[in-house]
Amino acid sequence: MTSSLVTKTPVIEIKDLQAKYGNLTILDGISVDIHPGEITVILGGSGCGKTTLLKNMLRLYEPTAGSVKFWGEETLGMSENEFYEVLKKTGMLFQNGALLNSISVYENISIPLEMHTSLSQDVIDRIIRVKLNLVGLGNAIYKLPSELSGGMKKRASLARALALDPEILFCDEPSAGLDPVTSEALDNLILNLKHQLKMTIVIVTHELASIHRIADKIIFLDGGKMLFNGTLDEARGARIPQIDHFFEVGKF
């Protein structure tokens, strides 16, 4: 099922996407559009293909077949250098944060700026401070990741993902391992980023509280197929047994 609420040109268009590991089909014929300025949440049970879909969008895994367009450009036939230019307009918040533990928060955030820009050190310094203040970590700028709480690590990782001012932010299980209070604070931060920066955000999660707080649209996967794409209200009215069970188990 698809939503009737389509008013803008998609920033990502996925058509007939297929992904396999060996002979095992993980994603089977996924077709979906991601629209600008919205938070789209990819959900479903364990092993349904949520993270695989995210990684196939970004060619961390190469799709077996299908089409993935960013801003109207087909990416699956692009050279590595061509796709690199597309990726520079995106940011990624990994599930474990992926901070380098041996260097400070400041140095972690400086990595994409030093690798992908020719900015002076003074400008890089100002950008790092702006991004850390944006996520409420201005006082942790010179701390090591080991000195941070779980929620602070996620926010530091988010600051790094925002370093290059991405138009699209991808998040893989951002609330994983966080307590409910910290998880809610992270959700509120993501909502603020959406409104302040007019960002398009794609999130993989199974956290029902987060889904209800942040999702504009949901993509529900089951057994590698897309069962639903639309709003939460539309999902509730769709009467799809797998979706009803998913939310019933979570007592929503």
Side-chain angles (χ1 to χ4, degrees):
M1 170 177 284
T2 57
S3 168
S4 59
L5 184 61
V6 177
T7 58
K8 301 177 182 178
T9 302
V11 292
I12 303 174
E13 300 168 80
I14 300 168
K15 185 171 178 60
D16 298 327
L17 187 70
Q18 185 179 78
K20 291 186 176 183
Y21 297 151
N23 293 324
L24 181 63
T25 298
I26 307 299
L27 297 174
D28 187 8
I30 304 297
S31 294
V32 66
D33 293 338
I34 306 294
H35 291 273
E38 295 182 343
I39 297 178
T40 299
V41 176
I42 304 170
L43 65 150
S46 297
C48 70
K50 300 187 296 292
T51 296
T52 299
L53 177 56
L54 189 69
K55 290 182 175 179
N56 273 262
M57 285 188 214
L58 298 171
R59 289 177 62 182
L60 297 174
Y61 298 151
E62 200 68 29
T64 307
S67 169
V68 179
K69 293 181 180 179
F70 279 71
W71 298 286
E73 288 190 85
E74 179 59 60
T75 62
L76 299 189
M78 284 183 175
S79 68
E80 187 173 325
N81 287 338
E82 288 171 329
F83 191 56
Y84 166 79
E85 293 301 316
V86 173
L87 287 182
K88 285 201 297 188
K89 295 191 288 184
T90 71
M92 179 71 189
L93 175 59
F94 293 94
Q95 182 174 340
N96 61 5
L99 295 171
L100 297 178
N101 292 319
S102 60
I103 60 176
S104 68
V105 169
Y106 179 99
E107 292 169 300
N108 267 281
I109 299 170
S110 74
I111 291 172
L113 292 164
E114 292 175 356
M115 287 182 62
H116 304 308
T117 76
S118 56
L119 298 171
S120 70
Q121 192 57 49
D122 285 346
V123 173
I124 287 175
D125 183 83
R126 289 199 294 272
I127 291 172
I128 291 171
R129 294 175 187 277
V130 167
K131 301 307 180 185
L132 283 172
N133 285 330
L134 189 63
V135 301
L137 276 186
N139 293 329
I141 187 168
Y142 297 120
K143 290 184 179 292
L144 292 171
S146 60
E147 299 177 283
L148 305 179
S149 67
M152 292 171 74
K153 287 179 182 177
K154 289 291 177 76
R155 283 187 281 151
S157 300
L158 183 55
R160 186 182 59 188
L162 298 173
L164 297 176
D165 295 325
E167 296 180 41
I168 306 174
L169 176 66
F170 296 93
C171 304
D172 186 12
E173 299 283 5
S175 299
L178 301 181
D179 64 82
V181 174
T182 305
S183 177
E184 182 175 4
L186 183 61
D187 289 340
N188 289 333
L189 175 57
I190 289 171
L191 284 170
N192 286 337
L193 291 174
K194 170 197 163 184
H195 293 302
Q196 288 181 35
L197 305 180
K198 311 301 181 186
M199 294 185 69
T200 303
I201 304 174
V202 181
I203 298 178
V204 169
T205 187
H206 65 276
E207 302 286 346
L208 292 178
S210 291
I211 293 165
H212 281 263
R213 279 192 290 262
I214 66 177
D216 293 309
K217 299 280 184 62
I218 65 170
I219 297 169
F220 192 95
L221 302 181
D222 183 72
K225 293 182 179 293
M226 187 179 73
L227 293 189
F228 180 84
N229 170 31
T231 67
L232 277 173
D233 285 343
E234 289 170 340
R236 292 189 187 99
R239 297 293 182 260
I240 298 173
Q242 295 93 325
I243 296 177
D244 291 344
H245 178 70
F246 184 89
F247 286 102
E248 176 68 24
V249 169
K251 298 180 182 177
F252 279 94

